[in-house]
Amino acid sequence: MGTRWAACVESAYQPSQKHALGASSDGAQSTALGSFIDWVNGVEKHSSGLPGRCLVNRSTQLEEDYLALKGVMGGTGAGGAAELIRSMHR
């Protein structure tokens, strides 16, 4: 139900974002729940403190790559993995 509120008149979403949500017809198949999309956009923690739902896109699909790189690079290499993934998002 929460995703539906994002498309209502009172929402701060842009009209294009509201349209994209409305065009999504397969529910959980075209959306992702988590905080990765916030992180990749430079938001360390969402203001609500909760994970958010967003449409699956090229950026949300980078999460698997980030986790794999972080695992391979480990420790101090995690910062390099973060920069690489954020550069792929831009």
Side-chain angles (χ1 to χ4, degrees), residues 34-46 50-52 86:
S35 56
F36 180 77
I37 195 67
D38 287 331
W39 174 84
V40 81
N41 282 305
V43 177
E44 294 303 321
K45 186 172 184 180
H46 191 271
L50 300 171
R86 283 185 169 144

Side-chain angles (χ1 to χ4, degrees), residues 2 13 21 35 39 48 52-53 58 80:
Y13 276 35
L21 282 172
S35 56
W39 174 84
S48 71
R53 184 167 294 281
R58 192 178 80 231

Side-chain angles (χ1 to χ4, degrees), residues 4-14 18:
R4 293 181 186 178
W5 294 117
C8 74
V9 174
E10 296 81 4
S11 168
Y13 276 35
Q14 297 297 316
K18 292 178 183 184

Side-chain angles (χ1 to χ4, degrees), residues 28-83:
Q29 296 298 317
S30 61
T31 63
L33 179 65
S35 56
F36 180 77
I37 195 67
D38 287 331
W39 174 84
V40 81
N41 282 305
V43 177
E44 294 303 321
K45 186 172 184 180
H46 191 271
S47 59
S48 71
L50 300 171
R53 184 167 294 281
C54 66
L55 292 171
V56 172
N57 58 37
R58 192 178 80 231
S59 293
T60 58
Q61 294 171 349
L62 292 172
E63 184 171 12
E64 286 182 29
D65 295 334
Y66 171 67
L67 294 173
L69 281 171
K70 188 175 166 185
V72 170
M73 296 173 87
T76 58
E83 275 308 306

